[in-house]
Amino acid sequence: MTYSLIIDGKAIDARESFDVINPATGEVLAACPQGSVADLDNAVAAAKRAFPGWAAKPDAERQEALGKIADLIEAYQAELAALITAEQGKPQAGPGAPFEVGGCVAWTRVTQGLSVEPEVLIDTDEERVELIREPVGVVASITPWNWPLMIAVWHVMPALRAGCTVVMKPSPYTPLSTLRLVQMITEAGILPAGVLNVVTGDAEVGDRISGHPDIDKIAFTGSIATGRRIMERAGSTLKRLTLELGGNDAGIVLPGTDMSKRMEDLFWGSFINAGQTCSCLKRLYVHEDDYDAVCEGLANFVGGIKVGNGAEPDTLIGPLSNKMQFDKIVELVEDARTKGARILTGGEKPNGKGYIYPLTIIADATEEMRVVNEEQFGPVLPVIRYSDLDDAIARANALEVGLGASAWGNDPGEAAKVARKLVAGTRWVNRHGVLNPTVPMGGVKQSGIGVEFGEEGLREYTTVQILSIAK
């Protein structure tokens, strides 16, 4: 398979390339074209030329285009899922690569059906005033490596639906599925030339996106540090921003809660995609009277889960996506061990060329350990003991992030009262990390700006313009 940039409806070969690594084996999967600042400038220029025509399309035509894209993703689901497994590591079983591609279809179809109608604010004999939402313009989408295709869809489909044109920049760790999807859409002739472009690139290309005078909005999912850099560089042009910057989600198990029947929900809320999900549960607070039972239950449950190469049919949890993340997880677990934590299961760096790391439950974790106060983003869950519920809530809220949080209890109503006290964009009760394309998602504090999904997410790609008529 040969991969190309897509600019103005044409496949563009880059002068240079870089290797994409299969994280399960550590071997080179494919060569990916290395885009340049000049390529980005060409893509933005194409998107800017295409914007007036795409924005002027009747709503029904843009809806029809999204429907065709959903059909296309569905038709090529097996190919795209295999590519995600190969470049990112997500398994073929469980909530893995086919699940991700299926989510792309679902989010595209839901977005297809959304609309933001004009609102009549005043209608009298003297005047009529309408609030009209117009597409913001050229949108840049910068996506991470953990859910490469799903998050691309989260950015791109509402932008297209609103009437914006798009330039995509995928993560250099996982660019192939995004390049392939845009190639499919282009070859199928679903969109006019220039409406959807994709350019790979390094930090120089990313910085050019942040300050580009012809980019009107950036949708970014990634680290807080990079989000801050984007925001600083975007200030000179007053770009609109949607930033989803991750978190360090806390879960609190209320005193006396029987978790024996909730282990599967707790497991997937913590370990889906090997824990490489922004909205995974990453810190679990358990009352001292229930602490040993919950730790033992978790250790026993994860012991029966196969971790390995996602291409093997019985693998439920795949590798870490890249060496950078693998090395970080090794460091965090060793830091916890040296500071007195008990490693109940996992915690040993395996031999081999890939980035497979065992599911790891850490007991006697404390806030002095990096694995608690930093977002680990891996198959590791620290369990923290508490004696006072209000103190646990305060500790859960103490960090600068606030993407998600959860409360677990025998009585959902009582657990919801605790959840309401947690400072996070989404508070779950007796589950964690459950997303829906109709339900807005976003962070508070340092976890981001703006929301995604549903009509609230669609509005992020529009500007408010008033039409005021004297009768």
Side-chain angles (χ1 to χ4, degrees):
M1 179 72 193
T2 301
Y3 298 92
S4 302
L5 314 179
I6 303 293
I7 300 173
D8 204 16
K10 303 179 183 67
I12 304 296
D13 295 327
R15 293 183 179 180
E16 299 180 5
S17 66
F18 61 93
D19 291 336
V20 178
I21 304 299
N22 182 326
T25 64
E27 298 173 351
V28 175
L29 171 64
C32 179
Q34 174 78 19
S36 65
V37 169
D39 291 320
L40 175 73
D41 287 344
N42 290 337
V44 173
K48 186 176 181 179
R49 288 192 302 270
F51 172 66
W54 182 247
K57 292 279 187 186
D59 233 25
E61 288 191 27
R62 294 202 296 267
Q63 286 185 303
E64 182 182 7
L66 262 64
K68 290 179 178 178
I69 292 173
D71 292 343
L72 190 68
I73 297 172
E74 202 163 36
Y76 287 90
Q77 181 166 352
E79 178 186 340
L80 291 169
L83 198 50
I84 290 170
T85 295
E87 70 171 344
Q88 195 274 333
K90 213 174 267 95
Q92 287 289 305
F99 173 84
E100 177 170 352
V101 181
C104 293
V105 175
W107 254 267
T108 301
R109 293 204 191 284
V110 168
T111 306
Q112 175 192 6
L114 298 176
S115 63
V116 181
E117 300 295 332
E119 300 175 41
V120 178
L121 304 181
I122 302 173
D123 192 9
T124 67
D125 292 341
E126 292 78 28
E127 63 175 333
R128 179 181 175 90
V129 180
E130 298 179 4
L131 183 155
I132 301 172
R133 290 190 171 270
E134 303 286 3
V136 70
V138 176
V139 172
S141 161
I142 306 176
T143 52
W145 45 260
N146 58 331
W147 294 83
L149 206 61
M150 177 90 87
I151 293 176
V153 164
W154 290 354
H155 292 178
V156 170
M157 298 311 162
L160 295 177
R161 177 69 191 86
C164 302
T165 54
V166 180
V167 177
M168 306 172 71
K169 179 189 175 298
S171 166
Y173 290 114
T174 55
L176 304 182
S177 55
T178 300
L179 292 173
R180 180 64 179 130
L181 176 60
V182 179
Q183 180 188 39
M184 290 175 179
I185 294 170
T186 302
E187 291 176 349
I190 296 173
L191 301 172
V195 170
L196 180 61
N197 311 270
V198 59
V199 177
T200 59
D202 54 16
E204 185 180 12
V205 173
D207 283 346
R208 176 60 174 162
I209 289 174
S210 300
H212 202 296
D214 291 330
I215 291 175
D216 302 293
K217 176 183 172 65
I218 298 173
F220 169 76
T221 302
S223 71
I224 292 174
T226 304
R228 287 171 175 165
R229 181 175 177 84
I230 288 171
M231 192 170 186
E232 289 169 0
R233 294 181 63 85
S236 63
T237 54
L238 297 179
K239 296 188 195 313
R240 301 281 295 277
L241 298 173
T242 298
L243 305 176
E244 197 271 87
L245 305 180
N248 191 343
D249 288 15
I252 297 178
V253 180
L254 274 63
T257 301
D258 178 10
M259 292 296 290
S260 61
K261 295 180 181 179
R262 300 195 184 277
M263 280 297 162
E264 185 165 1
D265 292 330
L266 182 59
F267 171 78
W268 287 116
S270 306
F271 290 102
I272 188 172
N273 192 29
Q276 299 170 113
T277 299
C278 295
S279 55
C280 268
L281 194 160
K282 300 181 175 75
R283 299 176 286 152
L284 184 65
Y285 291 83
V286 180
H287 190 267
E288 57 189 2
D289 292 344
D290 312 305
Y291 189 82
D292 291 337
V294 172
C295 286
E296 182 181 357
L298 272 169
N300 290 338
F301 191 93
V302 304
I305 304 296
K306 180 181 175 182
V307 181
N309 189 328
E312 298 173 1
D314 57 343
T315 295
L316 282 180
I317 300 294
L320 289 157
S321 186
N322 52 73
K323 186 176 186 303
M324 171 193 70
Q325 199 59 30
F326 181 85
D327 290 344
K328 179 181 179 181
I329 292 300
V330 171
E331 289 178 9
L332 294 182
V333 173
E334 289 310 307
D335 175 79
R337 198 193 313 269
T338 60
K339 291 176 179 174
R342 287 184 293 134
I343 311 301
L344 300 184
T345 185
E348 296 297 332
K349 181 179 177 180
N351 296 320
K353 295 181 179 179
Y355 310 131
I356 296 168
Y357 194 88
L359 301 176
T360 300
I361 302 297
I362 297 180
D364 298 338
T366 66
E367 278 83 359
E368 289 71 36
M369 298 172 185
R370 290 178 59 198
V371 74
V372 175
N373 61 45
E374 296 180 25
E375 183 182 25
Q376 69 269 37
F377 222 66
V380 176
L381 181 63
V383 188
I384 306 146
R385 192 189 311 264
Y386 76 87
S387 56
D388 178 78
L389 184 57
D390 288 336
D391 177 62
I393 294 168
R395 292 158 71 187
N397 288 335
L399 299 182
E400 64 179 3
V401 290
L403 185 63
S406 58
W408 304 72
N410 296 328
D411 182 340
E414 290 302 309
K417 292 177 183 178
V418 172
R420 285 287 302 272
K421 296 178 182 180
L422 297 173
V423 182
T426 303
R427 286 82 60 92
W428 290 279
V429 173
N430 289 336
R431 57 184 185 176
H432 199 106
V434 178
L435 303 180
N436 185 295
T438 66
V439 178
M441 181 196 74
V444 298
K445 297 194 284 189
Q446 295 290 308
S447 284
I449 295 172
V451 298
E452 300 177 275
F453 314 157
E455 289 187 1
E456 289 292 332
L458 184 61
R459 291 187 183 101
E460 296 272 336
Y461 294 87
T462 66
T463 59
V464 172
Q465 298 185 31
I466 300 297
L467 182 63
S468 182
I469 305 167
K471 293 184 179 178

